[in-house]
Amino acid sequence: MFQGTIPGPMRAIVRETAAGWPRGPVYVPCCGNFTIERSLAGMGFTLHSSDVSIYTTAIGRWLTGQPVGIRLCDESADQLGWLGDSLDDGVGTVATMMLGTRFLASVGREGLWHERTVRSYRDQWTSKHTETVERLSRADVELASYEVEDVRTWLQKVPRDAPVCSFPPFYGGGYEKLYEPLEAHFTWDAPQYKPLSDTDLVDVLGAITNRPYWLTASNHDVPELHPYLRGVIKTTPRAAPFYVYASKARTRIVAPRQPIDPVKAPRLRENDELVGPLTLSLLKPGQFNALRSRYLNPKITPGAANLAVAVRDGGGRLLGVFAMTPSTFTPDEAYVLSDFAVAPTDYPRLSKLIVLAATSSEAQLLCQRAFSRRIRRVATTAFSNNPVSMKYRGLLRLNKRSPSNEEGWKFQLQYQGAMGQHTLAEALEVWAKRWGAPTMQTGV
C-alpha cells in the first residue's frame, strides 16, 4: 500500500536498534513512505515526521488529522475530471495519490500500453479507490506531528538529546523525478527548497549523527561514518547495497540466498553426439538457479525469471536453458533474462541453438501461456567486451550499443527479434547447417 524502496530487513534492524532508545519522542526527517514510523509502531514512541514531497505530505497530514490540501489542476480537468469525487481532503485524497503513482505517468502519452493503462484505471476507479480507502483505514501508524519542511532547517529544531532516525534521499532530485506525475496534475502549497546535492547529503548525515541516539542508512558508502557502520544489506543479486550506520547497534550482514534444487536430467558432454528432435521442459525456480550457477558467467548479475525452460535433445540430454519475463513497456514482447548452453561439449556454437530454441513457435506458446498475453517478439541485453555479441549475431537485431553499466564489461548491447517464425525442428536444421559442426577431438 505504501510506496517505498527500503528492504524488509531494514525494518527489523530499525526496531531492534530502537529498542535500546529511551521512550519518548523520535524524530524522522525525510520520512518518505513512513517505513521507519511503521517499524516503530507500538513501541511506545511519539513520532514526529517531516518531508517535502506531495505524496508523503498527503499521508502525513492525513495521519495527523490535518486537511490534505491537494486539488486537481484546472489544466488537468478535461483528462482527469473523473477523479474529482475522490478528492475529499482526507483519506480519499490520500488513496488517489497512491493510485496515481501507478498510472499518471501514462496520461497524455501516445502508445497502446499507456492508453490501456489509463483506460483500465478509469474503468475500474470506483472499486480500486474504495479498496484503497478501506486498506488505509486499517493502518496502525500514529504520528504526533508532521511538518512540510526542508530537512536542513527541520533538523535544527530537533532537541539535541532526542533520537533521530532517517533514510535521506540517495540521489539528488530523486523525489522530484519520482513524484513528477503527481506534481503535473495536482496543486498544493508546495514548500520552496533546493534539492539535496551530494555535499548537502553529507551535511544532513552529520546533523543526524551529532547526538547520542541515531540510525541512518544509505546506498552511499560514507567513509566518515565507517566507525559507526553496523550492517550491510543486499537482498537480491541486482539490488544496490544499503549501508546501515547507528550510534549503537548489533552488526548485521544481509545477503541474498537462492534455493537450489537438483536437476537429474543428463547433460550433453564431450564426445556426445547431439541428436534430434529438440524438446522443451519447464524448470522449477530452484532447478533454474542450480543450472544458472553452474553455467552462466559469474560476472553477470542474475535476475528473477517468470518462465525458465530447459532445451533437450532427442536423447533427453540437457543442451541449455533460457529464462524469460514479460516486457514492462511492450505488451507483445518477452524479455530474455538469460540463455546459456551446457559445457564442455564438442559444439562451440551450441549457444546459438539455445537462442533459436528460445525464439521458436514452441517457446512462443509457453510464453503466451505463462504471461497470459500474445507474444510476437523477444528482447535481451548482452554484456560484452566486443562491440557485437557473437551469440546473437545473425539471429537477433542489434538495436543499441552503449557503455556497460556492469563492472567488468565494456559494452551493453540491446538486441531484439521476432518470435515464432520457426519450429524447434527448423531451428535444429538451421543450426546444424550453419553452426553445428563439432570440434574435432584428437587423441594422444
Side-chain angles (χ1 to χ4, degrees), residues 62-339:
W62 167 65
L63 288 174
T64 52
Q66 304 176 59
V68 174
I70 296 174
R71 301 175 303 280
L72 187 66
C73 293
D74 293 339
E75 297 82 358
S76 300
D78 290 342
Q79 292 177 305
L80 298 172
W82 46 277
L83 298 178
D85 293 339
S86 304
L87 302 173
D88 60 359
D89 216 24
V91 65
T93 300
V94 175
T96 302
M97 295 295 102
M98 289 185 168
L99 292 171
T101 61
R102 304 176 185 176
F103 77 91
L104 286 176
S106 294
V107 173
R109 297 182 62 179
E110 295 182 355
L112 185 60
W113 188 88
H114 296 294
E115 294 171 0
R116 285 178 173 176
T117 297
V118 176
R119 184 168 62 249
S120 173
Y121 273 87
R122 183 178 65 241
D123 294 345
Q124 303 177 66
W125 182 253
T126 300
S127 61
K128 285 181 175 292
H129 188 264
T130 299
E131 179 185 355
T132 306
V133 167
E134 292 175 352
R135 294 175 64 190
L136 281 168
S137 300
R138 297 193 295 268
D140 59 355
V141 181
E142 295 183 3
L143 296 185
S145 69
Y146 175 84
E147 295 185 41
V148 186
E149 187 171 349
D150 190 306
V151 60
R152 288 161 284 201
T153 58
W154 192 74
L155 277 173
Q156 297 175 10
K157 305 176 183 179
V158 175
R160 306 294 298 180
D161 58 346
V164 170
C165 189
S166 178
F167 305 145
F170 304 137
Y171 302 103
Y175 273 161
E176 291 73 22
K177 188 65 176 178
L178 181 62
Y179 300 123
E180 191 176 74
L182 292 178
E183 295 280 5
H185 296 288
F186 294 93
T187 180
W188 66 300
D189 53 335
Q192 298 297 316
Y193 69 95
K194 294 182 178 180
L196 292 175
S197 65
D198 289 342
T199 301
D200 292 331
L201 192 56
V202 172
D203 293 340
V204 168
L205 290 174
I208 291 172
T209 59
N210 188 21
R211 57 190 64 251
Y213 303 101
W214 57 271
L215 182 146
T216 187
S218 173
N219 61 1
H220 293 282
D221 184 8
V222 184
E224 294 81 0
L225 294 181
H226 278 181
Y228 304 100
L229 181 63
R230 308 302 183 192
V232 178
I233 298 175
K234 186 176 177 66
T235 54
T236 67
R238 287 189 173 272
F242 281 81
Y243 300 91
V244 183
Y245 306 96
S247 54
K248 184 179 180 181
R250 298 179 64 181
T251 56
R252 300 286 188 191
I253 295 179
V254 178
R257 177 183 177 273
Q258 62 176 3
I260 298 293
D261 291 328
V263 179
K264 298 180 180 180
R267 325 284 169 87
L268 187 72
R269 301 186 184 279
E270 290 178 307
N271 300 317
D272 286 347
E273 181 183 0
L274 192 157
V275 296
L278 298 183
T279 58
L280 303 181
S281 303
L282 297 180
L283 292 171
K284 297 179 181 178
Q287 293 175 318
F288 170 62
N289 291 338
L291 294 170
R292 178 178 61 187
S293 299
R294 173 66 179 85
Y295 296 111
L296 189 65
N297 190 317
K299 293 193 296 182
I300 299 177
T301 306
N306 295 68
L307 176 69
V309 181
V311 183
R312 302 166 71 175
D313 77 347
R317 293 167 297 196
L318 182 68
L319 306 180
V321 172
F322 62 85
M324 297 186 178
T325 188
S327 173
T328 303
F329 299 107
T330 308
D332 64 345
E333 186 175 83
Y335 184 79
V336 183
L337 285 172
S338 62
D339 57 275

Side-chain angles (χ1 to χ4, degrees), residues 299 383-388 404 406 408-413:
K299 293 193 296 182
F383 295 93
S384 176
N385 290 321
N386 299 312
V388 296
S404 174
E406 295 277 353
W409 306 103
K410 290 183 180 180
F411 300 104
Q412 182 170 320
L413 310 171

